[in-house]
Amino acid sequence: MTQINDIHSVTAEALKEVPAVNASPWQPLRQRVFRMLWIATVVSNIGSWMNDIGVNWTMLTLSADPLSVAMVQVASSLPMFLFALPSGVMADIVDRRKYLLFSQVWVFIAAAGLTLLSVTGHVTPGVLLVAAFLLSTGAAMSSPPFQAIVPDLVSKNEMGPAIALNSLGINISRAIGPALGGLILSFAGPWMVFLLNAISVLGVAWVLYRWKAEPSVQRLPPEHFFSAVRAGFRYVHAAPVLRNVLVRTVAFFTFGSAGWALLPLVARRELGLGPGGYGIMLAFIGVGAIFGAVLLPRLRKTFNPDRLMVLASLMFAVTMLALAFVRNVWLLNAFEFFTGFSWIAVLSTLNLGAQRSAAKWVKARALAVYLTVFFGSMTAGSAIWGQLASHYGIPVSLCVAALGMILASSTVYRWRLDQDPDLNLDVSTEHGATPELDVRHDRGPVMVSYEYLVTAEDARAFTVCMQDMRRVRRRGGAINWSVYEDILQPGVFVETFVVGSWMEYLRQQERYTINDQKIQNRICAFHQGETLPLIRYLVAPV
């Protein structure tokens, strides 16, 4: 048994928050790499939206069954559900730049293959679903690392504007891509749309190839894949804000998926539109999303995240009701404008919540869990609404989805996004040094204990505060955690937690954040001993 005092400490000056500087909405574009990657991504996303309209419209010409059309949305969403988390793990343990390059090559090959099959006349409903699945798999590989590299490209006070700009870029492409895709589809056919999508990927690949990321110093060897997966799940389970984001994600997108899954059917069967008209309808959604992205900074000053999301959810429910009953093309397009507006408000709010609730060491994994839940909800919802539309009709399916979304908005009362507004998950450099002990990295399990002396008057408040520390230990990799009071020495409390190995303990110390320090300092304020709390490290015998 080793006894060492290395309680994490931080000065009051270190804990003072640096006043946040309000960055201009366009300030991140001054960063050269962010600007070039943003432009290339907009072009690539235009190609993706063109490809989507090509796939959806080709499926409509091959099959009029609502379930078959909805299965396109399922095939596009399912890979995110299946592969986003493994991709997030890979992005946290390998070179993100190289991994992103690999994902772009994957998308290029899949898009080029679909082009070749279209030119030779071998496209069937099955081919379309497989192609949508493979293209979405490439997106699943790239989405977590793309979101996780944002902090590497901009400063901390530019994070909010950077996320908003990324959302704006997606919706600029949403406004241009469908209309352009519908036009090209009308004059040249699907193969040209698929070809342009393949070409659009090359710009992103070129920027990533030219980008020389700052090398990160790794004092410890990288995690193994499966242990990294377990660490990601432990973090999510012990991160209240992130859990709230995930619950609200399920509540919105399970019902919101109906609007996307059934939109092609309304355009073709109910309105009699061709590919150009369908593209214009999607363009109205994109324009609405652009307006939403531009107005979001101002809206966030007026509404907190929860109120903003509830209002946007109710607006989206109204637009689904319009999709169910309005059969005037231009009036429905006006409603679709607000579909885009509300969609981007919800998407940006949830994305920002997921970003701020994830520490850097686990950011790609945490965002991958968010994407998994997002696309899992979209996949399940699309299948449900497509099946319901097949049996009871499109209006009934959309009405049920709209009612469900209104009821789902009540989740705001239990799972709030504005919890812990001062959460700071930057890695701290102020905590005590890890003890230099002659212990093999693979020795374990390791039990660590902290011994505190607390007055009877503070005992209750101390144990309540320790629940925050439980989440800190769990997030950092603790297998189990507990706190005990010595019945022979009232007021002596012992906190214990177990990690799998000495290496896992070293990782836990390396991941200590400023927010963790604040919690540790609040707990230490209860300690009445003349010295720092006693720490013991107990390792299982060999």
Side-chain angles (χ1 to χ4, degrees), residues 293-532:
V294 172
L295 291 177
L296 269 177
R298 187 174 301 175
L299 291 174
R300 287 198 179 103
K301 294 178 181 178
T302 306
F303 305 105
N304 64 28
D306 291 296
R307 184 172 297 181
L308 178 61
M309 187 167 169
V310 168
L311 291 175
S313 298
L314 297 178
M315 183 185 295
F316 195 90
V318 170
T319 65
M320 284 199 292
L321 291 175
L323 192 62
F325 298 111
V326 174
R327 292 299 175 258
N328 179 283
V329 174
W330 294 109
L331 179 58
L332 185 56
N333 282 342
F335 276 101
E336 292 308 301
F337 173 90
F338 291 101
T339 294
F341 189 99
S342 54
W343 184 267
I344 192 60
V346 170
L347 202 62
S348 179
T349 301
L350 290 173
N351 191 293
L352 189 58
Q355 287 272 5
R356 84 175 186 91
S357 61
K360 185 174 182 179
W361 66 270
V362 75
K363 188 173 287 292
R365 275 168 281 183
L367 293 173
V369 171
Y370 161 68
L371 290 172
T372 300
V373 172
F374 168 27
F375 283 97
S377 303
M378 290 286 289
T379 301
S382 298
I384 291 169
W385 307 123
Q387 188 72 19
L388 196 62
S390 295
H391 287 84
Y392 301 103
I394 295 172
V396 170
S397 184
L398 287 167
C399 287
V400 173
L403 178 61
M405 178 168 288
I406 293 171
L407 295 175
S409 297
S410 63
T411 53
V412 68
Y413 294 109
R414 173 63 178 82
W415 294 278
R416 300 191 63 84
L417 299 178
D418 58 0
Q419 182 175 335
D420 295 336
D422 298 324
L423 188 66
N424 187 337
L425 296 178
D426 289 341
V427 175
S428 171
T429 58
E430 299 294 329
H431 65 277
T434 303
E436 296 290 341
L437 301 176
D438 186 17
V439 181
R440 294 199 323 270
H441 284 176
D442 61 350
R443 283 284 306 272
V446 177
M447 175 183 283
V448 182
S449 69
Y450 285 68
E451 186 174 301
Y452 303 92
L453 180 61
V454 181
T455 63
E457 293 79 11
D458 290 335
R460 174 62 181 168
F462 172 80
T463 55
V464 170
C465 192
M466 286 300 292
Q467 295 307 308
D468 290 331
M469 182 53 68
R470 174 180 62 83
R471 286 188 284 269
V472 169
R473 305 300 190 199
R474 289 285 194 178
R475 282 197 297 265
I479 299 171
N480 58 52
W481 176 95
S482 56
V483 62
Y484 302 93
E485 183 178 10
D486 190 335
I487 58 175
L488 297 179
Q489 302 179 73
V492 174
F493 287 82
V494 179
E495 175 202 7
T496 67
F497 62 94
V498 177
V499 292
S501 66
W502 187 250
M503 171 64 75
E504 289 301 310
Y505 177 73
L506 296 178
R507 292 193 198 283
Q508 188 182 64
Q509 303 310 295
E510 191 175 62
R511 296 164 177 171
Y512 222 68
T513 68
I514 292 176
N515 190 69
D516 298 340
Q517 281 186 349
K518 291 180 178 179
I519 294 171
Q520 181 76 74
N521 278 16
R522 289 205 308 270
I523 290 171
C524 286
F526 291 104
H527 179 60
Q528 300 301 310
E530 296 181 358
T531 61
L532 291 173

Side-chain angles (χ1 to χ4, degrees), residues 1 62 152 282 348:
M1 180 186 296
L62 297 174
D152 298 330
L282 290 177
S348 179

Side-chain angles (χ1 to χ4, degrees), residues 16-31:
K16 288 181 180 177
E17 298 288 344
V18 179
V21 179
N22 290 325
S24 162
W26 313 105
Q27 186 170 321
L29 293 175
R30 298 174 186 172
Q31 308 292 342

